[in-house]
């Protein structure tokens, strides 16, 4: 084999690999949303201390960035002080399944989280928690840190859940986001979405969830007013292909904690 042929072969191989890397779509992330239920202010403090001092630093050491911690807005009297939301972005389901082993090997995590980890049965740091596992939409395969500059205490993050009548009908709503143009519509109107995702394990299936973010409540209302008036949306919402594809739409208004990455 001549030297020239070897060089040509290697160049062709390099170009093939490079083209495949460029052409391949980004791998869709997975997300865990954990919702803590607390009964007392003491429990809330203990969970937050664990998240701030033990969990988030451990995630960072494990290479997981942008962990979000949120609480219901103060005006939500039914949930304020009773719920804590934790958003963890993951590269794969294996990373989620391996997390207990990862944490078990982290001495700093064990030390910083001792009050939470080693809590006695008669002094638990929370009442219960719910875990939701999601996979990112093809239309936004990776999460984004919102481009907000105002104080975290004033920000409003809106977590939405769209439930479907059946699996097939629910998938039609997912298609409306990915192929119908709903994701780029939100992007164009500046909704600062953190993620859009399909719920693959949770208590309200079939459903999808997404999170949009705003500097404050007034900004949130202005954005949705612009959305409702948008010509593209008004054309999309009457498209016969996407009719009657949501059975229930629930919004959760949250504010990030001061130690939240997002």
């Amino acid at each position: 084999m001549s030297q020239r042929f070897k060089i040509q072969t290697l160049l062709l191989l390099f170009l093939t690999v490079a083209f495949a890397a460029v052409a391949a779509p980004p791998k869709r992330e997975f997300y865990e949303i954990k919702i803590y239920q607390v009964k007392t202010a003491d429990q809330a403090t203990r969970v937050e201390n664990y998240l701030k001092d033990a969990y988030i630093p451990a995630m960072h050491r494990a290479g997981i960035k942008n962990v979000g911690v949120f609480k219901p807005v103060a005006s939500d009297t039914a949930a304020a002080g009773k719920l804590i939301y934790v958003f963890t972005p993951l590269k794969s389901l294996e990373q989620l399944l391996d997390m207990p082993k990862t944490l078990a090997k982290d001495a700093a995590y064990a030390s910083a989280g001792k009050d939470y980890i080693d809590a006695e049965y008669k002094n638990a740091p929370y009442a219960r928690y719910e875990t939701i596992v999601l996979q990112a939409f093809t239309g936004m395969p990776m999460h984004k840190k919102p481009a907000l500059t105002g104080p975290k205490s004033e920000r409003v993050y809106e977590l939405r859940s769209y439930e479907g009548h059946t699996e097939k009908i629910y998938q039609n709503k997912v298609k409306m986001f990915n192929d119908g143009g709903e994701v780029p519509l939100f992007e164009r109107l500046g909704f600062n979405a953190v993620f859009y995702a399909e719920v693959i394990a949770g208590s309200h299936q079939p459903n999808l969830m997404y999170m949009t973010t705003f500097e404050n409540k007034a900004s949130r209302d202005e954005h949705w007013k612009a959305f409702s008036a948008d010509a593209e949306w008004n054309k999309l919402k009457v498209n016969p292909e996407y009719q009657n594809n949501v059975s229930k739409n629930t919004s959760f208004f949250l504010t990030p904690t001061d130690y939240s990455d997002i």
Side-chain angles (χ1 to χ4, degrees):
M1 183 182 294
S2 68
Q3 185 67 20
R4 180 178 180 182
F5 182 78
K6 288 181 180 180
I7 293 174
Q8 290 176 333
T9 301
L10 290 173
L11 180 60
L12 179 61
L13 179 61
F14 171 79
L15 291 174
T16 300
V17 172
F19 178 78
V22 172
K27 190 174 181 181
R28 294 164 64 190
E29 291 180 319
F30 289 85
Y31 308 123
E32 179 193 49
I33 297 178
K34 183 176 285 187
I35 307 173
Y36 284 96
Q37 301 171 19
V38 294
K39 291 184 176 180
T40 66
D42 178 66
Q43 283 190 329
T45 297
R46 293 172 69 193
V47 170
E48 287 209 72
N49 285 341
Y50 160 74
L51 294 171
K52 175 170 60 74
D53 299 330
Y55 181 75
I56 291 179
M59 292 300 99
H60 292 172
R61 288 191 292 272
I64 298 173
K65 300 179 181 179
N66 296 335
V67 177
V69 181
F70 316 97
K71 294 187 287 186
V73 295
S75 58
D76 185 353
T77 55
K82 301 175 183 177
L83 300 174
I84 300 170
Y85 292 72
V86 185
F87 168 80
T88 305
L90 304 155
K91 295 179 181 178
S92 66
L93 281 178
E94 288 75 16
Q95 190 175 34
L96 174 62
L97 295 174
D98 289 343
M99 194 54 63
K101 294 180 181 178
T102 300
L103 293 176
K105 297 176 182 178
D106 190 331
Y109 165 79
S111 176
K114 183 174 177 58
D115 173 70
Y116 174 100
I117 298 167
D118 295 333
E120 296 182 356
Y121 74 93
K122 57 185 178 182
N123 188 28
Y126 55 85
R128 274 292 174 267
Y129 68 75
E130 173 188 358
T131 297
I132 305 170
V133 181
L134 313 93
Q135 185 174 22
F137 279 4
T138 57
M140 185 175 168
M142 303 181 72
H143 74 285
K144 292 182 181 178
K145 195 169 183 177
L148 301 177
T149 57
K152 282 187 175 182
S153 60
E154 296 181 12
R155 297 178 190 175
V156 172
Y157 289 17
E158 186 170 2
L159 178 64
R160 284 198 164 204
S161 170
Y162 289 174
E163 300 174 31
H165 302 274
T166 68
E167 291 96 319
K168 183 177 180 179
I169 296 172
Y170 149 77
Q171 285 295 337
N172 179 263
K173 183 59 179 176
V174 174
K175 183 180 179 182
M176 188 175 179
F177 272 93
N178 287 324
D179 302 330
E182 206 163 346
V183 169
L185 174 58
F186 277 112
E187 179 72 17
R188 175 169 61 80
L189 294 177
F191 273 69
N192 272 308
V194 175
F195 71 89
Y196 301 91
E198 299 185 51
V199 174
I200 59 176
S203 58
H204 296 280
Q205 291 183 273
N207 71 311
L208 63 88
M209 300 182 80
Y210 68 95
M211 177 182 279
T212 52
T213 66
F214 313 92
E215 295 286 4
N216 48 51
K217 179 63 163 55
S219 175
R220 182 264 175 196
D221 293 344
E222 289 169 3
H223 277 79
W224 277 108
K225 184 177 180 180
F227 182 91
S228 297
D230 188 82
E232 184 180 346
W233 167 245
N234 282 285
K235 181 180 179 180
L236 178 60
K237 74 178 184 180
V238 298
N239 186 328
E241 183 179 358
Y242 301 121
Q243 296 303 298
N244 303 310
N245 56 12
V246 175
S247 61
K248 186 178 181 180
N249 177 355
T250 307
S251 290
F252 306 93
F253 296 100
L254 310 173
T255 185
T257 62
D258 59 0
Y259 56 87
S260 176
D261 290 336
I262 295 177

